[in-house]
Amino acid sequence: MIERRIWLALAAVLAVGGVIQLPWAPSRFGGVFFLALAVGCAGEWLMLRLRDKHKAFRVLSVVGRVLFGLFLVSFVAIQGMIMHGMQPDPEAADAEYLLVLGARVNPDGQPSAALAARLDTAYDFMQEHPDITAILCGGQGGNEPCPEAEAMYDYMVAKGMDADRLLLEDESSNTIQNIENARALIGDGHRTAVVTSDYHLARARVLMERGGLDACGIPAPTPYPGQWVAVRCREYCSILGLVLTGRWA
């Protein structure tokens, strides 16, 4: 009885947390993630309630607890990877090119808060290192009015950055394509660094290495506390996918 109540309470708490996050686009993934967990917890509650009626329910209840345990272990481990990867690399100061990874552009053509944070971080770094050239990476999503790279370029120029120090990579739709297209743009043999959101930096480093580029990282802050949970849930899924497919190395 107590165990069933715990699972039901978990389902209720996760469902409330998911519903709260759904209306705001930057946290919507977190809402879906929490609701999926809520469904799983509710399913475990149901299997425990029915386990005396049939052997299949007892087996499913055990499977559910094992899967939830594996989820908890993997979630904690991957969050540790994310936290460890949020530190900047001093070697980035030696880079010739700075990849600035894109993020969502608002309907009015202005960078979202997450993208603006990345651009502000890149701008400050370029001010301190006047010989570095930035590659602004990002194509146009289905809900965006222009390619992310174009919005990034306009933002940086408006801040006072020399346009000659900005290269545009505006064909990509994900981080892997960002890196592949940037490498094709600059060629091989150049020292590179990457600017992206702090929570994304661990994965970006791995993908940079796999893409044949230096993996020096410069973290940009996550702008809103309300995003912290959602982006880390999304990053958990992305990193888990790399681990399970043998690409996290």
Side-chain angles (χ1 to χ4, degrees):
M1 178 66 73
I2 294 177
E3 187 178 9
R4 293 206 304 267
R5 288 178 178 175
I6 291 173
W7 285 106
L8 191 59
L10 273 175
V13 170
L14 290 167
V16 171
V19 170
I20 289 173
Q21 294 185 74
L22 283 179
W24 190 38
S27 67
R28 192 163 295 149
F29 186 93
V32 174
F33 188 90
F34 274 38
L35 288 174
L37 288 177
V39 170
C41 291
E44 179 62 21
W45 167 80
L46 182 61
M47 292 303 100
L48 288 172
R49 186 178 180 185
L50 299 174
R51 64 182 172 182
D52 293 334
K53 296 184 180 297
H54 197 279
K55 180 180 178 180
F57 296 127
R58 291 196 296 274
V59 172
L60 288 174
S61 69
V62 172
V63 170
R65 279 173 283 177
V66 170
L67 290 177
F68 192 79
L70 290 174
F71 159 72
L72 288 179
V73 170
S74 64
F75 190 83
V76 170
I78 288 176
Q79 294 308 312
M81 294 178 188
I82 293 171
M83 294 293 292
H84 180 72
M86 289 169 61
Q87 301 303 314
D89 293 306
E91 296 85 355
D94 298 326
E96 300 170 74
Y97 290 96
L98 186 66
L99 276 69
V100 187
L101 302 186
R104 187 173 61 89
V105 174
N106 293 327
D108 62 359
Q110 295 299 308
S112 61
L115 182 52
R118 297 181 186 187
L119 293 169
D120 290 340
T121 299
Y123 179 86
D124 292 342
F125 188 85
M126 293 176 72
Q127 290 291 90
E128 296 173 3
H129 303 87
D131 294 329
I132 199 167
T133 297
I135 306 172
L136 309 178
C137 301
Q140 184 173 358
N143 60 346
E144 294 177 317
C146 65
E148 293 168 4
E150 288 186 12
M152 296 162 75
Y153 176 89
D154 292 342
Y155 185 91
M156 292 286 276
V157 171
K159 282 177 69 73
M161 182 56 62
D162 184 354
D164 292 338
R165 299 179 64 194
L166 303 174
L167 300 178
L168 274 68
E169 185 290 292
D170 59 2
E171 299 294 331
S172 57
S173 59
N174 56 54
T175 304
I176 293 175
Q177 291 178 5
N178 289 158
I179 295 167
E180 290 175 348
N181 294 346
R183 183 180 179 185
L185 186 64
I186 64 175
D188 294 328
H190 297 288
R191 295 187 300 275
T192 56
V194 61
V195 172
T196 189
S197 300
D198 48 13
Y199 66 86
H200 183 236
L201 197 56
R203 179 160 59 101
R205 281 196 182 97
V206 170
L207 296 178
M208 289 277 285
E209 289 180 353
R210 293 187 64 85
L213 298 177
D214 295 326
C216 299
I218 304 165
T222 303
Y224 301 121
Q227 281 187 290
W228 293 350
V229 173
V231 295
R232 280 160 177 74
C233 290
R234 184 173 62 201
E235 200 63 16
Y236 162 76
C237 294
S238 298
I239 291 177
L240 183 63
L242 292 177
V243 171
L244 293 177
T245 56
R247 293 178 292 167
W248 186 266

